[in-house]
């Protein structure tokens, strides 16, 4: 590796019941990038007519989930009573705080012709002072996210600040999450105001400081190093980053916390049915794993 690119991560595939995700974080030796502790690349997946995505109700604590799609649609429901379809370019930002339950499913109308799905789901660990905040859900339509265009490059700021533009998405710690599209041969400087950064490539290949990064790989960048990315061919990528959190975070199943004891309590609460129900989706649920 170079002094700018410290590691290149490859994904691990996971079957979530009808569609495959490629998981980049947490990785051995690289658990987090800024506050981002979980990074799943969804699809691209195509399901037969009549089939769809059914992520049954399940709980979270002490984190925020961020869903961002490039293709397809999911219907979010949660224990606060929100029901919201998410479509390409929108942001669903759900803060679990002291505890929330949600589901994500394909709408029945989408299942008729067969569901297509392509996107990202990330988890953001919360600062210690905000881990037990009240749960919340906010939807941001694609039109409110700033777009920065330079010759051969198209950059959309999903959350945080980058390329001189700031997203309206409210976060509880300093971070950046941005989508980048590059024409073949085009270059873009990468924002360097955050101590930890990573670039994930979804399509094509890029060159970062002399290191080739292919589709499905994530390049980790050194702190305080200026860097630019060049499309070896037409490329599609996302940049994540932020300040390191105030201490270690533990992760078990859908729970993230600075406290192992808090995770044990959440496990018992889910097992014994003490989490709230999801209105309109309160029959099925994902049972607590036995390991």
């Amino acid at each position: 590796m170079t002094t700018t690119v410290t590691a290149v991560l490859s994904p691990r595939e996971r079957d979530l019941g009808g569609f495959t995700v490629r998981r980049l974080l947490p990785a051995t030796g690289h658990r987090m990038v800024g506050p981002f502790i979980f990074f799943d690349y969804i699809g691209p997946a195509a399901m037969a007519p009549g089939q769809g995505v059914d992520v049954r109700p399940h709980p979270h604590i002490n984190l925020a989930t961020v869903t961002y799609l490039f293709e397809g649609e999911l219907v979010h429901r949660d224990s606060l009573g929100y029901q919201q379809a998410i479509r390409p370019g929108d942001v669903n930002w759900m803060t679990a705080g002291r505890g929330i339950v949600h589901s994500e499913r394909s709408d029945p109308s989408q299942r008729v012709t067969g569901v297509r799905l392509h996107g990202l789901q990330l988890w953001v660990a919360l600062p210690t002072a905000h881990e037990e905040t009240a749960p919340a859900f906010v939807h941001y339509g694609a039109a409110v996210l700033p777009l920065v265009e330079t010759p051969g490059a198209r950059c959309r700021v999903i959350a945080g600040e980058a390329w001189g533009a700031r997203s309206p998405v409210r976060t509880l710690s300093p971070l950046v999450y941005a989508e980048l599209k590059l024409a073949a041969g085009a270059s873009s400087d990468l924002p360097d105001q955050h101590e930890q950064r990573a670039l994930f490539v979804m399509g094509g290949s890029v060159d970062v400081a002399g290191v080739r990064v292919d589709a499905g790989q994530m390049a980790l960048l050194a702190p305080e190093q200026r860097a630019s990315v060049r499309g070896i061919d037409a490329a599609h990528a996302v940049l994540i980053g932020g300040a390191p959190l105030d201490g270690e975070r533990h992760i078990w199943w859908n729970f993230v916390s600075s406290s192992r004891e808090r995770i044990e309590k959440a496990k018992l609460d889910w097992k014994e049915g003490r989490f709230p129900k999801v209105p309109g989706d309160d029959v099925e649920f994902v049972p607590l794993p036995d390991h």
Side-chain angles (χ1 to χ4, degrees), residues 19-22 41-46 117-119:
F19 66 102
T20 298
V21 301
R22 279 165 276 182
Y41 178 44
I42 305 166
L117 193 64
H118 182 205

Side-chain angles (χ1 to χ4, degrees), residues 245-260:
L245 282 186
D246 51 350
E248 184 181 4
R249 291 299 183 272
H250 308 287
I251 181 169
W252 188 90
W253 190 42
N254 297 314
F255 303 136
V256 168
S257 181
S258 61
S259 165
R260 291 188 187 276

